Amino acid sequence: MERSTILGLILGLIAVGYGMVLKGAPLTSLFTNPAAYLIIIGGTIAAVLNAFPMSELRRLPHLFRLIFRGQRLPDPNDLIDRFMEWAQIARREGLLALEGHLEAIEDPFLKNGMKMVVDGREMEFIRDALEQDLAAMEARHQVGAKIFEQAGTYAPTLGVLGAVVGLIAALSNLDDTTVLGHSIAAAFVATLLGIFTGYVLWHPFANKLRRLSRQEVELKQMMIEGILSIQAGISPSNIEEKLIVYLPAREREKRAERKHA
């Protein structure tokens, strides 16, 4: 579970709701203006549908799962230990001895790279194949983040559209103060929803997807270096020194402490 997303949503709703109470605005106005929700939510969905092909929008359920559940990635420290173990086996028994370890690898990217090593592919071929795979993954991730980024751009503007519609209704009922007040409230509720969804939901979701993508890219870059190091016959200790640069400083210190314990 991606707790930061849940906390962000809860705090955002509390901030807006309690802020309305402090300002004297009735919370009931948020629930008595279905037209505002229709214009903002329906309009944002329509705009996104017009902006992206369905082949890319089909990934939205997966993207929401990433935002709310996070992603399961191998632990970098465990990866370094596995590469050191594989390097030791390869130096002692040869690269073909690693074939028996392939089935235990869960990550498809890592498994494919190690399979190419066992198959005796050349270093440049392995590097090119893995980097192309990584570039394709980055492109897919960028599209996913762009969907939410565009939604965040459309929603506030649709809030202005909702306000205009509400004011048109208000100006059409100047003689009826009850309808007039309701129409003006609906106009500003639409603006509130547009800004809230744009800048508390969609833009932050886009940024979170970019951050998650960056974490996965860095991990896969680490995998590429480990795979190529094994193919080149580098010693386990040198592989460790080469790969710990991908760890945060605190993790490097912990690893050094465990090593000297």
Side-chain angles (χ1 to χ4, degrees), residues 35-92:
Y37 287 89
L38 179 62
I39 291 171
I40 303 306
I41 304 302
T44 301
I45 292 172
V48 169
L49 285 169
N50 287 332
F52 295 90
M54 190 57 71
S55 59
E56 294 175 352
L57 294 176
R58 288 194 186 100
R59 297 186 62 241
L60 275 172
H62 172 69
L63 296 175
F64 275 110
R65 281 195 296 272
L66 280 177
I67 291 167
F68 285 95
R69 294 184 182 178
Q71 58 184 349
R72 294 180 59 188
L73 296 175
D75 182 81
N77 273 300
D78 291 342
L79 269 179
I80 293 175
D81 291 337
R82 292 180 77 178
F83 279 123
M84 293 175 66
E85 179 187 350
W86 292 337
Q88 186 65 38
I89 293 171
R91 286 167 67 88
R92 187 174 60 246

Short mmCIF file of all heavy atoms in Angstrom, two decimals, residues 35-92:
data_model
loop_
_atom_site.label_atom_id
_atom_site.label_comp_id
_atom_site.label_asym_id
_atom_site.label_seq_id
_atom_site.Cartn_x
_atom_site.Cartn_y
_atom_site.Cartn_z
N ALA A 35 -24.42 19.16 -10.86
CA ALA A 35 -23.98 19.71 -12.15
C ALA A 35 -22.49 20.02 -12.14
O ALA A 35 -21.79 19.83 -13.15
CB ALA A 35 -24.78 20.97 -12.48
N ALA A 36 -21.97 20.49 -10.99
CA ALA A 36 -20.55 20.81 -10.89
C ALA A 36 -19.71 19.55 -11.08
O ALA A 36 -18.69 19.56 -11.78
CB ALA A 36 -20.25 21.45 -9.54
N TYR A 37 -20.13 18.45 -10.45
CA TYR A 37 -19.40 17.18 -10.60
C TYR A 37 -19.47 16.68 -12.04
O TYR A 37 -18.48 16.17 -12.57
CB TYR A 37 -19.99 16.12 -9.65
CG TYR A 37 -19.64 16.37 -8.21
CD1 TYR A 37 -20.46 17.16 -7.41
CD2 TYR A 37 -18.50 15.81 -7.64
CE1 TYR A 37 -20.14 17.39 -6.07
CE2 TYR A 37 -18.18 16.03 -6.31
CZ TYR A 37 -19.00 16.83 -5.53
OH TYR A 37 -18.68 17.06 -4.22
N LEU A 38 -20.63 16.84 -12.64
CA LEU A 38 -20.78 16.39 -14.03
C LEU A 38 -19.85 17.16 -14.96
O LEU A 38 -19.18 16.57 -15.81
CB LEU A 38 -22.24 16.56 -14.47
CG LEU A 38 -22.55 16.14 -15.91
CD1 LEU A 38 -22.27 14.66 -16.11
CD2 LEU A 38 -24.00 16.47 -16.26
N ILE A 39 -19.79 18.48 -14.78
CA ILE A 39 -18.96 19.30 -15.65
C ILE A 39 -17.48 19.00 -15.43
O ILE A 39 -16.72 18.83 -16.40
CB ILE A 39 -19.24 20.80 -15.41
CG1 ILE A 39 -20.64 21.15 -15.92
CG2 ILE A 39 -18.20 21.67 -16.11
CD1 ILE A 39 -21.09 22.55 -15.54
N ILE A 40 -17.05 18.91 -14.15
CA ILE A 40 -15.62 18.73 -13.87
C ILE A 40 -15.17 17.30 -14.14
O ILE A 40 -14.21 17.06 -14.89
CB ILE A 40 -15.30 19.13 -12.42
CG1 ILE A 40 -15.71 20.58 -12.15
CG2 ILE A 40 -13.81 18.94 -12.15
CD1 ILE A 40 -15.12 21.57 -13.12
N ILE A 41 -15.84 16.33 -13.52
CA ILE A 41 -15.41 14.94 -13.67
C ILE A 41 -15.71 14.44 -15.08
O ILE A 41 -14.82 13.88 -15.75
CB ILE A 41 -16.11 14.04 -12.62
CG1 ILE A 41 -15.85 14.56 -11.19
CG2 ILE A 41 -15.63 12.60 -12.77
CD1 ILE A 41 -14.40 14.64 -10.82
N GLY A 42 -16.94 14.65 -15.51
CA GLY A 42 -17.30 14.21 -16.87
C GLY A 42 -16.49 14.92 -17.93
O GLY A 42 -16.03 14.31 -18.90
N GLY A 43 -16.30 16.23 -17.75
CA GLY A 43 -15.53 17.00 -18.73
C GLY A 43 -14.08 16.58 -18.78
O GLY A 43 -13.47 16.50 -19.86
N THR A 44 -13.48 16.30 -17.60
CA THR A 44 -12.08 15.85 -17.57
C THR A 44 -11.93 14.50 -18.26
O THR A 44 -10.98 14.30 -19.03
CB THR A 44 -11.59 15.75 -16.11
OG1 THR A 44 -11.71 17.02 -15.48
CG2 THR A 44 -10.13 15.31 -16.07
N ILE A 45 -12.87 13.60 -17.99
CA ILE A 45 -12.82 12.29 -18.65
C ILE A 45 -12.94 12.45 -20.17
O ILE A 45 -12.20 11.82 -20.94
CB ILE A 45 -13.94 11.37 -18.11
CG1 ILE A 45 -13.67 11.01 -16.65
CG2 ILE A 45 -14.05 10.09 -18.95
CD1 ILE A 45 -14.80 10.27 -15.97
N ALA A 46 -13.86 13.30 -20.59
CA ALA A 46 -14.05 13.54 -22.03
C ALA A 46 -12.79 14.12 -22.66
O ALA A 46 -12.37 13.71 -23.76
CB ALA A 46 -15.23 14.47 -22.26
N ALA A 47 -12.17 15.08 -21.97
CA ALA A 47 -10.95 15.70 -22.51
C ALA A 47 -9.82 14.69 -22.63
O ALA A 47 -9.07 14.68 -23.62
CB ALA A 47 -10.54 16.86 -21.61
N VAL A 48 -9.68 13.83 -21.62
CA VAL A 48 -8.62 12.81 -21.66
C VAL A 48 -8.89 11.82 -22.79
O VAL A 48 -7.97 11.39 -23.49
CB VAL A 48 -8.52 12.10 -20.30
CG1 VAL A 48 -7.63 10.87 -20.39
CG2 VAL A 48 -7.96 13.06 -19.24
N LEU A 49 -10.16 11.44 -22.96
CA LEU A 49 -10.51 10.53 -24.06
C LEU A 49 -10.17 11.14 -25.41
O LEU A 49 -9.74 10.45 -26.34
CB LEU A 49 -12.00 10.18 -23.99
CG LEU A 49 -12.42 9.18 -22.91
CD1 LEU A 49 -13.94 9.13 -22.80
CD2 LEU A 49 -11.87 7.79 -23.21
N ASN A 50 -10.36 12.44 -25.53
CA ASN A 50 -10.05 13.12 -26.79
C ASN A 50 -8.55 13.27 -27.00
O ASN A 50 -8.09 13.42 -28.13
CB ASN A 50 -10.70 14.51 -26.82
CG ASN A 50 -12.20 14.44 -27.00
OD1 ASN A 50 -12.72 13.51 -27.60
ND2 ASN A 50 -12.91 15.43 -26.47
N ALA A 51 -7.79 13.25 -25.91
CA ALA A 51 -6.36 13.53 -26.00
C ALA A 51 -5.49 12.30 -26.20
O ALA A 51 -4.37 12.41 -26.72
CB ALA A 51 -5.90 14.26 -24.73
N PHE A 52 -5.98 11.12 -25.81
CA PHE A 52 -5.15 9.92 -25.85
C PHE A 52 -5.89 8.78 -26.54
O PHE A 52 -7.11 8.65 -26.40
CB PHE A 52 -4.76 9.48 -24.43
CG PHE A 52 -3.89 10.47 -23.71
CD1 PHE A 52 -4.46 11.48 -22.93
CD2 PHE A 52 -2.51 10.40 -23.82
CE1 PHE A 52 -3.66 12.39 -22.27
CE2 PHE A 52 -1.71 11.31 -23.15
CZ PHE A 52 -2.29 12.31 -22.38
N PRO A 53 -5.16 7.94 -27.26
CA PRO A 53 -5.79 6.76 -27.89
C PRO A 53 -6.19 5.73 -26.83
O PRO A 53 -5.59 5.66 -25.76
CB PRO A 53 -4.69 6.21 -28.80
CG PRO A 53 -3.42 6.71 -28.21
CD PRO A 53 -3.73 8.03 -27.59
N MET A 54 -7.19 4.93 -27.15
CA MET A 54 -7.70 3.95 -26.20
C MET A 54 -6.63 2.93 -25.82
O MET A 54 -6.64 2.40 -24.70
CB MET A 54 -8.91 3.24 -26.79
CG MET A 54 -9.67 2.37 -25.78
SD MET A 54 -10.23 3.29 -24.32
CE MET A 54 -11.52 4.29 -25.05
N SER A 55 -5.69 2.65 -26.73
CA SER A 55 -4.64 1.68 -26.42
C SER A 55 -3.80 2.13 -25.23
O SER A 55 -3.26 1.30 -24.48
CB SER A 55 -3.74 1.49 -27.65
OG SER A 55 -3.15 2.72 -28.04
N GLU A 56 -3.66 3.44 -25.02
CA GLU A 56 -2.91 3.96 -23.88
C GLU A 56 -3.80 4.10 -22.65
O GLU A 56 -3.35 3.89 -21.53
CB GLU A 56 -2.28 5.31 -24.25
CG GLU A 56 -1.21 5.18 -25.32
CD GLU A 56 -0.67 6.52 -25.78
OE1 GLU A 56 -1.22 7.58 -25.37
OE2 GLU A 56 0.31 6.54 -26.56
N LEU A 57 -5.07 4.44 -22.86
CA LEU A 57 -5.98 4.63 -21.73
C LEU A 57 -6.33 3.31 -21.06
O LEU A 57 -6.77 3.31 -19.90
CB LEU A 57 -7.26 5.33 -22.21
CG LEU A 57 -7.07 6.78 -22.68
CD1 LEU A 57 -8.37 7.33 -23.22
CD2 LEU A 57 -6.54 7.66 -21.56
N ARG A 58 -6.17 2.19 -21.76
CA ARG A 58 -6.46 0.89 -21.14
C ARG A 58 -5.55 0.61 -19.95
O ARG A 58 -5.84 -0.26 -19.14
CB ARG A 58 -6.31 -0.23 -22.18
CG ARG A 58 -7.42 -0.27 -23.22
CD ARG A 58 -7.40 -1.59 -23.98
NE ARG A 58 -8.35 -1.58 -25.07
CZ ARG A 58 -8.06 -1.37 -26.34
NH1 ARG A 58 -6.80 -1.15 -26.70
NH2 ARG A 58 -8.99 -1.39 -27.27
N ARG A 59 -4.45 1.32 -19.87
CA ARG A 59 -3.50 1.10 -18.77
C ARG A 59 -3.91 1.86 -17.50
O ARG A 59 -3.25 1.74 -16.47
CB ARG A 59 -2.10 1.54 -19.19
CG ARG A 59 -1.53 0.73 -20.35
CD ARG A 59 -0.09 1.10 -20.63
NE ARG A 59 0.78 0.82 -19.52
CZ ARG A 59 1.49 1.75 -18.88
NH1 ARG A 59 1.43 3.02 -19.25
NH2 ARG A 59 2.28 1.42 -17.86
N LEU A 60 -4.98 2.65 -17.55
CA LEU A 60 -5.36 3.45 -16.39
C LEU A 60 -5.60 2.63 -15.12
O LEU A 60 -5.16 3.03 -14.04
CB LEU A 60 -6.60 4.29 -16.72
CG LEU A 60 -6.30 5.63 -17.42
CD1 LEU A 60 -7.59 6.29 -17.87
CD2 LEU A 60 -5.50 6.56 -16.52
N PRO A 61 -6.32 1.49 -15.18
CA PRO A 61 -6.49 0.70 -13.96
C PRO A 61 -5.15 0.29 -13.34
O PRO A 61 -4.98 0.34 -12.11
CB PRO A 61 -7.29 -0.52 -14.43
CG PRO A 61 -8.04 -0.04 -15.62
CD PRO A 61 -7.12 0.92 -16.30
N HIS A 62 -4.19 -0.09 -14.20
CA HIS A 62 -2.86 -0.45 -13.70
C HIS A 62 -2.17 0.76 -13.08
O HIS A 62 -1.50 0.64 -12.03
CB HIS A 62 -2.01 -1.00 -14.85
CG HIS A 62 -0.58 -1.22 -14.49
ND1 HIS A 62 -0.16 -2.19 -13.61
CD2 HIS A 62 0.56 -0.56 -14.88
CE1 HIS A 62 1.16 -2.15 -13.48
NE2 HIS A 62 1.61 -1.16 -14.23
N LEU A 63 -2.34 1.94 -13.68
CA LEU A 63 -1.70 3.14 -13.16
C LEU A 63 -2.28 3.53 -11.79
O LEU A 63 -1.54 3.92 -10.89
CB LEU A 63 -1.86 4.30 -14.14
CG LEU A 63 -1.18 4.11 -15.51
CD1 LEU A 63 -1.51 5.27 -16.44
CD2 LEU A 63 0.33 3.99 -15.35
N PHE A 64 -3.59 3.39 -11.65
CA PHE A 64 -4.21 3.67 -10.35
C PHE A 64 -3.72 2.69 -9.29
O PHE A 64 -3.52 3.07 -8.12
CB PHE A 64 -5.73 3.63 -10.45
CG PHE A 64 -6.34 4.92 -10.91
CD1 PHE A 64 -6.92 5.03 -12.17
CD2 PHE A 64 -6.33 6.04 -10.09
CE1 PHE A 64 -7.49 6.22 -12.59
CE2 PHE A 64 -6.90 7.23 -10.50
CZ PHE A 64 -7.48 7.33 -11.76
N ARG A 65 -3.53 1.43 -9.70
CA ARG A 65 -3.00 0.45 -8.74
C ARG A 65 -1.59 0.85 -8.28
O ARG A 65 -1.25 0.72 -7.10
CB ARG A 65 -2.98 -0.95 -9.35
CG ARG A 65 -4.33 -1.64 -9.37
CD ARG A 65 -4.20 -3.13 -9.64
NE ARG A 65 -3.66 -3.41 -10.95
CZ ARG A 65 -4.39 -3.53 -12.06
NH1 ARG A 65 -5.71 -3.39 -11.98
NH2 ARG A 65 -3.83 -3.80 -13.21
N LEU A 66 -0.78 1.34 -9.21
CA LEU A 66 0.56 1.79 -8.84
C LEU A 66 0.51 2.96 -7.87
O LEU A 66 1.27 3.03 -6.90
CB LEU A 66 1.34 2.22 -10.10
CG LEU A 66 1.95 1.13 -10.96
CD1 LEU A 66 2.60 1.74 -12.18
CD2 LEU A 66 2.98 0.33 -10.17
N ILE A 67 -0.41 3.90 -8.12
CA ILE A 67 -0.52 5.09 -7.29
C ILE A 67 -0.95 4.74 -5.88
O ILE A 67 -0.43 5.30 -4.90
CB ILE A 67 -1.50 6.09 -7.93
CG1 ILE A 67 -0.89 6.67 -9.22
CG2 ILE A 67 -1.85 7.22 -6.96
CD1 ILE A 67 -1.88 7.42 -10.09
N PHE A 68 -1.88 3.80 -5.75
CA PHE A 68 -2.44 3.49 -4.44
C PHE A 68 -1.75 2.31 -3.75
O PHE A 68 -1.74 2.24 -2.52
CB PHE A 68 -3.94 3.24 -4.55
CG PHE A 68 -4.74 4.49 -4.74
CD1 PHE A 68 -5.10 4.92 -6.02
CD2 PHE A 68 -5.13 5.25 -3.65
CE1 PHE A 68 -5.83 6.09 -6.19
CE2 PHE A 68 -5.87 6.41 -3.82
CZ PHE A 68 -6.21 6.83 -5.10
N ARG A 69 -1.19 1.40 -4.53
CA ARG A 69 -0.54 0.23 -3.94
C ARG A 69 0.97 0.30 -3.98
O ARG A 69 1.66 -0.46 -3.29
CB ARG A 69 -1.00 -1.05 -4.66
CG ARG A 69 -2.48 -1.37 -4.48
CD ARG A 69 -2.80 -2.70 -5.16
NE ARG A 69 -4.22 -3.04 -5.06
CZ ARG A 69 -4.76 -4.11 -5.61
NH1 ARG A 69 -3.99 -4.97 -6.29
NH2 ARG A 69 -6.05 -4.35 -5.49
N GLY A 70 1.52 1.18 -4.82
CA GLY A 70 2.95 1.22 -4.99
C GLY A 70 3.42 0.10 -5.91
O GLY A 70 2.61 -0.61 -6.50
N GLN A 71 4.71 -0.06 -6.05
CA GLN A 71 5.25 -1.11 -6.90
C GLN A 71 6.21 -1.99 -6.11
O GLN A 71 6.88 -1.52 -5.20
CB GLN A 71 5.97 -0.51 -8.12
CG GLN A 71 7.10 0.44 -7.77
CD GLN A 71 7.72 1.08 -8.99
OE1 GLN A 71 7.45 0.67 -10.12
NE2 GLN A 71 8.55 2.09 -8.80
N ARG A 72 6.20 -3.24 -6.46
CA ARG A 72 7.10 -4.20 -5.81
C ARG A 72 8.36 -4.35 -6.64
O ARG A 72 8.32 -4.89 -7.74
CB ARG A 72 6.39 -5.54 -5.65
CG ARG A 72 5.20 -5.52 -4.69
CD ARG A 72 4.56 -6.89 -4.58
NE ARG A 72 5.51 -7.88 -4.09
CZ ARG A 72 5.28 -9.18 -4.05
NH1 ARG A 72 4.11 -9.66 -4.48
NH2 ARG A 72 6.18 -10.01 -3.59
N LEU A 73 9.45 -3.86 -6.10
CA LEU A 73 10.74 -3.95 -6.78
C LEU A 73 11.70 -4.75 -5.91
O LEU A 73 11.61 -4.75 -4.68
CB LEU A 73 11.31 -2.55 -7.02
CG LEU A 73 10.52 -1.63 -7.96
CD1 LEU A 73 11.16 -0.25 -7.99
CD2 LEU A 73 10.44 -2.22 -9.36
N PRO A 74 12.64 -5.46 -6.55
CA PRO A 74 13.65 -6.19 -5.77
C PRO A 74 14.45 -5.24 -4.89
O PRO A 74 14.67 -4.07 -5.25
CB PRO A 74 14.54 -6.82 -6.85
CG PRO A 74 13.71 -6.83 -8.09
CD PRO A 74 12.81 -5.64 -8.01
N ASP A 75 14.85 -5.71 -3.74
CA ASP A 75 15.68 -4.90 -2.85
C ASP A 75 17.09 -4.77 -3.43
O ASP A 75 17.71 -5.77 -3.78
CB ASP A 75 15.75 -5.56 -1.47
CG ASP A 75 16.56 -4.73 -0.49
OD1 ASP A 75 16.01 -3.78 0.06
OD2 ASP A 75 17.76 -5.04 -0.31
N PRO A 76 17.59 -3.54 -3.57
CA PRO A 76 18.92 -3.35 -4.17
C PRO A 76 20.03 -4.10 -3.43
O PRO A 76 20.96 -4.64 -4.06
CB PRO A 76 19.13 -1.84 -4.09
CG PRO A 76 17.76 -1.27 -4.04
CD PRO A 76 16.94 -2.26 -3.27
N ASN A 77 19.95 -4.13 -2.10
CA ASN A 77 20.97 -4.85 -1.34
C ASN A 77 20.95 -6.34 -1.65
O ASN A 77 22.00 -6.97 -1.80
CB ASN A 77 20.75 -4.63 0.16
CG ASN A 77 21.43 -3.38 0.67
OD1 ASN A 77 22.65 -3.24 0.58
ND2 ASN A 77 20.64 -2.45 1.18
N ASP A 78 19.74 -6.90 -1.76
CA ASP A 78 19.62 -8.32 -2.11
C ASP A 78 20.17 -8.57 -3.52
O ASP A 78 20.79 -9.61 -3.77
CB ASP A 78 18.16 -8.76 -2.03
CG ASP A 78 17.64 -8.79 -0.60
OD1 ASP A 78 18.48 -8.81 0.32
OD2 ASP A 78 16.40 -8.80 -0.41
N LEU A 79 19.92 -7.62 -4.42
CA LEU A 79 20.43 -7.76 -5.79
C LEU A 79 21.95 -7.82 -5.80
O LEU A 79 22.55 -8.64 -6.51
CB LEU A 79 19.94 -6.60 -6.65
CG LEU A 79 18.63 -6.77 -7.40
CD1 LEU A 79 18.30 -5.51 -8.18
CD2 LEU A 79 18.69 -7.97 -8.34
N ILE A 80 22.58 -6.94 -5.04
CA ILE A 80 24.05 -6.93 -5.00
C ILE A 80 24.56 -8.26 -4.48
O ILE A 80 25.52 -8.83 -5.03
CB ILE A 80 24.55 -5.76 -4.11
CG1 ILE A 80 24.20 -4.42 -4.77
CG2 ILE A 80 26.06 -5.87 -3.89
CD1 ILE A 80 24.54 -3.21 -3.91
N ASP A 81 23.92 -8.79 -3.43
CA ASP A 81 24.33 -10.08 -2.88
C ASP A 81 24.17 -11.20 -3.92
O ASP A 81 25.03 -12.09 -4.03
CB ASP A 81 23.51 -10.41 -1.63
CG ASP A 81 23.83 -9.49 -0.46
OD1 ASP A 81 24.94 -8.92 -0.45
OD2 ASP A 81 22.97 -9.32 0.42
N ARG A 82 23.07 -11.14 -4.68
CA ARG A 82 22.84 -12.19 -5.70
C ARG A 82 23.88 -12.09 -6.81
O ARG A 82 24.41 -13.12 -7.26
CB ARG A 82 21.43 -12.04 -6.27
CG ARG A 82 20.34 -12.37 -5.28
CD ARG A 82 18.97 -12.21 -5.88
NE ARG A 82 18.61 -13.32 -6.75
CZ ARG A 82 17.44 -13.43 -7.36
NH1 ARG A 82 16.52 -12.49 -7.21
NH2 ARG A 82 17.18 -14.46 -8.13
N PHE A 83 24.19 -10.89 -7.24
CA PHE A 83 25.20 -10.73 -8.29
C PHE A 83 26.57 -11.21 -7.80
O PHE A 83 27.32 -11.83 -8.56
CB PHE A 83 25.29 -9.26 -8.73
CG PHE A 83 24.23 -8.86 -9.72
CD1 PHE A 83 23.38 -7.81 -9.45
CD2 PHE A 83 24.08 -9.54 -10.92
CE1 PHE A 83 22.39 -7.43 -10.36
CE2 PHE A 83 23.10 -9.18 -11.84
CZ PHE A 83 22.25 -8.12 -11.55
N MET A 84 26.88 -10.95 -6.55
CA MET A 84 28.15 -11.43 -6.00
C MET A 84 28.17 -12.95 -5.95
O MET A 84 29.19 -13.58 -6.27
CB MET A 84 28.37 -10.84 -4.60
CG MET A 84 28.59 -9.34 -4.59
SD MET A 84 28.69 -8.66 -2.91
CE MET A 84 30.21 -9.44 -2.34
N GLU A 85 27.04 -13.55 -5.58
CA GLU A 85 26.96 -15.01 -5.53
C GLU A 85 27.10 -15.60 -6.93
O GLU A 85 27.84 -16.56 -7.15
CB GLU A 85 25.61 -15.41 -4.93
CG GLU A 85 25.40 -16.93 -4.86
CD GLU A 85 24.00 -17.30 -4.41
OE1 GLU A 85 23.26 -16.39 -3.97
OE2 GLU A 85 23.63 -18.48 -4.53
N TRP A 86 26.40 -15.00 -7.90
CA TRP A 86 26.48 -15.50 -9.28
C TRP A 86 27.88 -15.33 -9.84
O TRP A 86 28.37 -16.18 -10.58
CB TRP A 86 25.47 -14.77 -10.15
CG TRP A 86 24.04 -15.11 -9.83
CD1 TRP A 86 23.58 -16.22 -9.21
CD2 TRP A 86 22.89 -14.30 -10.10
NE1 TRP A 86 22.21 -16.18 -9.09
CE2 TRP A 86 21.75 -15.02 -9.62
CE3 TRP A 86 22.69 -13.06 -10.70
CZ2 TRP A 86 20.46 -14.52 -9.74
CZ3 TRP A 86 21.40 -12.56 -10.81
CH2 TRP A 86 20.30 -13.28 -10.34
N ALA A 87 28.53 -14.21 -9.50
CA ALA A 87 29.90 -13.98 -9.98
C ALA A 87 30.84 -15.04 -9.44
O ALA A 87 31.73 -15.52 -10.16
CB ALA A 87 30.36 -12.58 -9.58
N GLN A 88 30.65 -15.42 -8.19
CA GLN A 88 31.48 -16.45 -7.58
C GLN A 88 31.28 -17.79 -8.28
O GLN A 88 32.25 -18.51 -8.58
CB GLN A 88 31.14 -16.58 -6.08
CG GLN A 88 32.04 -17.52 -5.31
CD GLN A 88 33.47 -17.02 -5.25
OE1 GLN A 88 33.71 -15.82 -5.12
NE2 GLN A 88 34.43 -17.92 -5.37
N ILE A 89 30.02 -18.12 -8.57
CA ILE A 89 29.72 -19.38 -9.27
C ILE A 89 30.31 -19.37 -10.67
O ILE A 89 30.90 -20.35 -11.12
CB ILE A 89 28.19 -19.59 -9.33
CG1 ILE A 89 27.63 -19.82 -7.93
CG2 ILE A 89 27.85 -20.78 -10.23
CD1 ILE A 89 26.12 -19.82 -7.87
N ALA A 90 30.15 -18.23 -11.36
CA ALA A 90 30.65 -18.13 -12.74
C ALA A 90 32.17 -18.25 -12.79
O ALA A 90 32.73 -18.88 -13.70
CB ALA A 90 30.21 -16.80 -13.36
N ARG A 91 32.88 -17.67 -11.84
CA ARG A 91 34.34 -17.74 -11.82
C ARG A 91 34.82 -19.14 -11.46
O ARG A 91 35.87 -19.59 -11.92
CB ARG A 91 34.90 -16.71 -10.81
CG ARG A 91 34.82 -15.27 -11.31
CD ARG A 91 35.07 -14.29 -10.18
NE ARG A 91 36.44 -14.36 -9.69
CZ ARG A 91 37.46 -13.66 -10.20
NH1 ARG A 91 37.26 -12.85 -11.23
NH2 ARG A 91 38.66 -13.76 -9.71
N ARG A 92 34.02 -19.83 -10.64
CA ARG A 92 34.44 -21.16 -10.18
C ARG A 92 34.04 -22.26 -11.17
O ARG A 92 34.82 -23.18 -11.43
CB ARG A 92 33.81 -21.43 -8.81
CG ARG A 92 34.30 -22.72 -8.16
CD ARG A 92 33.78 -22.88 -6.75
NE ARG A 92 32.34 -22.92 -6.70
CZ ARG A 92 31.57 -22.00 -6.13
NH1 ARG A 92 32.14 -20.94 -5.55
NH2 ARG A 92 30.26 -22.09 -6.13
#
